[in-house]
Amino acid sequence: MVALQNNSKNGKYGAIWLGAFDEQTGALDWQRLVHDAGQQLTYATAPLIDSLGDVYLGFGSSVPTCSDPYDCSVFLHEQSILKFASADGALVWRFDNKDYDHLTSEPGQAITPLEFSILGDDVVVAGPFVNDSKNNDVIKLSGSNGTAVWKSAVFGGNEFTYIDVAQNN
């Protein structure tokens, strides 16, 4: 399977197109338009594929808090990681880091996606995070249901962290 995403040619402002193709024939197996209400200025990661063929996509976006996004002074920033089933692209689970203050609330300031890597069939995510995970730098999510397996504040908590996972195969 080959998974591709496209931030710009999707027909819906702020949406992300995601598709999976047969790697032998190039035939489109499935496609999804990923979009939340009000989502704008969206940036996505390259899709990652686990050993089962399931597809993971991370994205970051800004959501205006007023009716005119071009004349808005406050934006909520959102980051998410989504897992899609290899067979049909159905959403399996979603991890959200919402209402994240990305150092600014200036209009037009988009947030980057969460950094993450596949570890076996699980996902390791780099922060910083909000809400109940806010004092952690790294979280390991279960590949089967997206719940936290463990959390770490190894860098002091709530730090920008970049991740590259080395696996012992």
Side-chain angles (χ1 to χ4, degrees):
M1 172 187 301
V2 176
L4 300 172
Q5 65 86 8
N6 184 308
N7 286 341
S8 59
K9 306 248 185 247
N10 51 45
K12 186 170 185 124
Y13 183 68
I16 302 162
W17 181 90
L18 176 68
F21 298 84
D22 181 282
E23 62 183 90
Q24 301 302 316
T25 67
L28 181 64
D29 290 332
W30 54 262
Q31 62 182 327
R32 295 286 173 264
L33 195 60
V34 180
H35 186 263
D36 291 336
Q39 179 178 317
Q40 296 184 12
L41 303 170
T42 302
Y43 300 92
T45 63
L48 298 179
I49 301 173
D50 67 16
S51 66
L52 303 173
D54 294 329
V55 178
Y56 297 81
L57 181 73
F59 71 87
S61 64
S62 292
V63 178
T65 59
C66 54
S67 60
D68 182 0
Y70 297 103
D71 190 31
C72 196
S73 60
V74 179
F75 283 70
L76 298 176
H77 300 289
E78 301 179 348
Q79 297 170 307
S80 299
I81 295 174
L82 297 91
K83 179 180 180 179
F84 298 91
S86 63
D88 58 4
L91 182 65
V92 176
W93 56 257
R94 177 180 180 142
F95 173 81
D96 288 315
N97 197 35
K98 289 187 178 248
D99 302 338
Y100 175 65
D101 182 9
H102 184 56
L103 306 177
T104 182
S105 58
E106 294 295 316
Q109 296 296 313
I111 191 167
T112 57
L114 286 165
E115 292 274 331
F116 74 100
S117 286
I118 303 293
L119 179 62
D121 288 322
D122 294 329
V123 179
V124 178
V125 186
F129 302 102
V130 295
N131 301 325
D132 64 339
S133 298
K134 95 180 211 187
N135 294 319
N136 295 285
D137 304 309
V138 181
I139 299 175
K140 180 180 176 185
L141 302 175
S142 165
S144 61
N145 61 21
T147 60
V149 175
W150 53 255
K151 299 176 183 182
S152 174
V154 66
F155 304 115
N158 212 30
E159 292 294 322
F160 282 100
T161 308
Y162 298 93
I163 195 161
D164 194 7
V165 175
Q167 299 186 52
N168 190 11
N169 294 327

